[in-house]
Amino acid sequence: GEKMSVPCDQYSSPTYVPDLVKNVFSLLELGKNGVFHVVGSDVMSRCEFAMKAAEAFGFDAALVEPKITEELSQKAPRPLKAGLRTDKFTRETGIVPLNVKGGLEAAKALWLENGKKI
């Protein structure tokens, strides 16, 4: 029930970790070499992600307070544009990593399966 300040000018690729693990193993099984971005398929601001996560789990997204990085007292510097492209991974494996909606749905299902209440 408390407000949370989240950067609206920092962009990243939210990633559902079980999907990351599955996709890394797919690369290994296919014998792929090289550099692959194995992250979620969406790039969005951290604030947008926080709002989507709040909505997915039934929390009040209005409590997510957008702030620019300069307004936050983050202990470590953060890049503003950190999103990654997954084109090469998809082209070479035929796998499309989960997007934010799919990752949040999977996380919510796992949460509920483990007896957590929303």
Side-chain angles (χ1 to χ4, degrees):
E2 295 178 25
K3 286 196 173 206
M4 179 173 74
S5 296
V6 182
C8 60
D9 59 347
Q10 293 178 20
Y11 288 78
S12 63
S13 301
T15 307
Y16 182 59
V17 173
D19 194 49
L20 167 73
V21 172
K22 177 184 69 113
N23 291 338
V24 168
F25 275 101
S26 294
L27 286 170
L28 294 170
E29 290 167 354
L30 293 169
K32 299 294 181 178
N33 295 305
V35 176
F36 290 86
H37 296 163
V38 187
V39 295
S41 62
D42 291 327
V43 174
M44 66 179 54
S45 75
R46 293 183 183 277
C47 184
E48 184 181 1
F49 175 69
M51 288 179 183
K52 287 182 181 291
E55 290 168 2
F57 281 85
F59 298 118
D60 186 358
L63 294 174
V64 176
E65 190 172 61
K67 297 280 186 176
I68 61 170
T69 298
E70 291 177 355
E71 296 175 305
L72 301 169
S73 298
Q74 294 179 303
K75 293 184 180 190
R78 303 279 189 243
L80 296 182
K81 304 288 184 205
L84 300 173
R85 294 181 56 169
T86 58
D87 321 28
K88 178 182 174 185
F89 172 78
T90 297
R91 186 175 58 251
E92 297 215 15
T93 64
I95 299 167
V96 177
L98 282 178
N99 60 17
V100 166
K101 183 177 188 237
L104 287 171
E105 286 172 356
K108 182 178 178 181
L110 186 61
W111 175 268
L112 294 172
E113 181 182 304
N114 285 301
K116 308 298 183 191
K117 294 182 181 167
I118 296 178

